[in-house]
Amino acid sequence: MTEAAMTDAEETFPYQRQCPFTPPKQYAEMMAEDVSQVTLTGSGLRIWTITGYHTIRQILTDPRISASRKHDNFPFYFIAPPEFRTETSFIGYDNPEHTQTRRKAAVTFTTRQVKRMRGRIEEIVNEYIDKLLTMTPPVDFHREFSLAVPMTVICELLGIPQDEHDFFIKHGTCLLGGHSTPEQRQAAIVEVNAYVDQLITIKEREPGDDLLSRAMAEYAASGEEYTRRDLFNMIRLLMNGGHETTASMLSLGTAALLENPDELAKLLADPEGMIEPAVEELVRIATIGDTAIPRVALEDIEIAGKTIKAGDGILCLGLAGNRDPEMFPEPEKLILERGTRKHLGFGYGLHHCIGADLARLEMQIVWTTLFQRIPSLRLAKPFLEIPRKEGAVIYGLWELPVVWDEVN
């Protein structure tokens, strides 16, 4: 190992991306090794990282690998309060508990149910574009549009009043932003749980046509008991996952298209034919959940010539996997027509993102509508000067200032 590589290896993880769509420079050597070790910021824990596309998929389908946060060496790369280990939903469960719990939420995320939402999502997207056009540029697209659209969708889905947007944006940023103290994260959990407790009480008394009411009905129909803790954790997961992730993708994806005008021109020339592969390619190139696939080995595992011991923490680095040249030729380039669902942007295996089809639909509607209605949309300052969410659980931009010419 070179002296420079040794210096990089001594830095704590996570590392900073070179630009929003370019992996950290340290990833080059890590990708060459496939399986390597890093030291986590905050905890100082020494863990394994997996970077190869096929190796990641192998790990994520191995029954000897656990997603449970209760393990001592679970790879949190920030100092996590105790609730991060105990107050989790199916994202932190292994089978059979995972499948039993996930099924209650899955009734809302079937392909049929998601397709039924298209008309309403189109209305929401156009409503927020209308609102944008009443503003005087420059405007923070991330705040006024990217956060607002998925937050409105998820609030309607869960039966949460629309005037609670700011409450959940604030707490989502605290829990997923990467720079909060353990005390701030713990306080956010307490406040969100208090809100959700009140919401559950209302839905028990007056059920509606929403995910929470349907999940409670699903429990009742199956004869299974549910606890408020189960519902707290499920709703908190869906609130944060349902808006923070899609919001990050809307801002990063919009910026990527603006920074690649030739690719944007392809989309505009054939929006119906190009939009599905375009969304997949944008999800791949951004990989906002690069560090969001933590695991723990339940027993000794031999992989890529290395021995991962029982109890060792593991991070599957989706950004590295999505840059694997054996799977994605010229992986650093945005090439919309090569878009494929084989990327790792929504995870893989048992814990594949439950809301993936909803997120896809929201992105498809946004990017086939936005540039048609505001064709002169452009960044208000150089892309690399826009502050980024380095070290966050969900990568993204803190803002996205944009301008446009007057629209007739």
Side-chain angles (χ1 to χ4, degrees):
M1 184 181 291
T2 66
E3 183 176 343
M6 290 178 66
T7 300
D8 287 342
E10 291 169 0
E11 297 175 12
T12 56
F13 186 92
Y15 307 128
Q16 288 197 4
R17 299 189 186 196
Q18 297 179 68
C19 88
F21 308 114
T22 305
K25 62 182 184 300
Q26 295 91 338
Y27 277 27
E29 185 167 340
M30 294 164 67
M31 291 169 69
E33 295 185 22
D34 194 2
V35 178
S36 54
Q37 288 187 291
V38 298
T39 300
L40 297 182
T41 299
S43 67
L45 188 67
R46 192 77 171 156
I47 65 142
W48 296 93
T49 58
I50 312 296
T51 57
Y53 176 87
H54 295 290
T55 312
I56 290 173
R57 285 166 58 110
Q58 179 183 341
I59 285 285
L60 295 180
T61 54
D62 193 322
R64 299 171 297 173
I65 302 294
S66 172
S68 175
R69 300 177 179 180
K70 296 178 182 179
H71 298 289
D72 290 341
N73 289 338
F74 190 85
F76 291 113
Y77 52 82
F78 49 80
I79 301 175
E83 284 80 1
F84 267 62
R85 295 189 181 278
T86 59
E87 300 306 310
T88 183
S89 185
F90 48 83
I91 193 173
Y93 293 165
D94 298 325
N95 265 340
E97 187 179 18
H98 169 269
T99 298
Q100 293 169 350
T101 308
R102 180 178 169 124
R103 178 163 47 86
K104 307 304 184 298
V107 294
T108 294
F109 293 100
T110 63
T111 301
R112 181 181 178 184
Q113 289 283 3
V114 169
K115 285 182 177 179
R116 287 177 55 193
M117 299 174 68
R118 173 177 285 275
R120 179 57 187 141
I121 295 174
E122 288 174 343
E123 290 178 357
I124 291 169
V125 168
N126 278 296
E127 286 168 7
Y128 280 106
I129 292 176
D130 289 342
K131 186 177 178 181
L132 273 182
L133 292 174
T134 67
M135 300 177 183
T136 301
V139 171
D140 183 357
F141 183 86
H142 182 68
R143 174 72 187 183
E144 301 296 340
F145 186 88
S146 297
L147 279 168
V149 168
M151 177 59 76
T152 300
V153 172
I154 200 67
C155 279
E156 289 193 6
L157 191 64
L158 295 174
I160 292 173
Q162 294 297 328
D163 58 6
E164 301 295 346
H165 283 199
D166 287 345
F167 175 85
F168 284 103
I169 289 172
K170 170 189 171 185
H171 288 86
T173 299
C174 178
L175 293 170
L176 301 177
H179 301 293
S180 306
T181 67
E183 292 76 20
Q184 288 171 327
R185 291 190 178 97
Q186 191 165 10
I189 291 173
V190 170
E191 289 184 25
V192 172
N193 280 356
Y195 178 90
V196 175
D197 182 56
Q198 182 181 28
L199 180 66
I200 291 170
T201 298
I202 293 171
K203 296 300 179 182
E204 286 176 331
R205 186 171 62 246
E206 301 174 4
D209 183 21
D210 54 73
L211 184 149
L212 178 54
S213 298
R214 284 194 290 272
M216 293 163 67
E218 177 75 8
Y219 273 110
S222 67
E224 297 177 31
E225 293 290 331
Y226 72 85
T227 66
R228 283 179 175 261
R229 179 183 170 202
D230 291 331
L231 293 173
F232 286 157
N233 294 332
M234 180 181 75
I235 297 303
R236 193 174 66 239
L237 169 69
L238 296 176
M239 277 303 309
N240 291 331
H243 87 271
E244 185 77 17
T245 53
T246 307
S248 291
M249 268 310 310
L250 290 178
S251 289
L252 279 170
T254 299
L257 290 169
L258 292 174
E259 288 290 285
N260 291 271
D262 290 345
E263 295 301 304
L264 176 57
K266 294 177 186 177
L267 177 60
L268 294 176
D270 181 18
E272 185 174 341
M274 284 293 296
I275 188 57
E276 290 190 12
V279 165
E280 303 307 324
E281 177 69 350
L282 288 164
V283 170
R284 181 196 72 84
I285 205 80
T287 314
I288 59 173
D290 177 34
T291 58
I293 315 179
R295 296 291 186 266
V296 173
L298 297 177
E299 57 184 82
D300 291 1
I301 297 171
E302 295 286 338
I303 190 163
K306 308 287 177 63
T307 301
I308 299 177
K309 296 287 189 181
D312 283 357
I314 303 167
L315 268 178
C316 296
L317 301 181
L319 184 60
N322 280 338
R323 294 299 190 282
D324 191 328
E326 292 186 7
M327 189 66 193
F328 307 102
E330 297 185 289
E332 73 286 353
K333 292 184 178 181
L334 179 71
I335 306 174
L336 297 187
E337 61 264 31
R338 72 137 155 231
T340 168
R341 290 196 175 198
K342 292 183 179 180
H343 62 77
L344 301 169
F346 290 114
Y348 182 73
L350 187 67
H351 291 272
H352 181 269
C353 176
I354 192 173
D357 284 344
L358 176 59
R360 285 182 167 110
L361 180 60
E362 291 180 60
M363 288 185 279
Q364 289 169 13
I365 292 171
V366 166
W367 291 322
T368 53
T369 307
L370 177 65
F371 296 106
Q372 291 181 356
R373 292 201 56 191
I374 315 180
S376 59
L377 188 74
R378 56 193 184 275
L379 300 183
K381 64 180 180 181
F383 184 45
L384 294 182
E385 294 180 10
I386 296 172
R388 313 192 299 259
K389 294 184 178 180
E390 298 291 350
V393 178
I394 301 300
Y395 188 83
L397 305 173
W398 287 111
E399 62 180 45
L400 186 63
V402 297
V403 295
W404 60 88
D405 300 330
E406 185 174 353
V407 177
N408 296 324

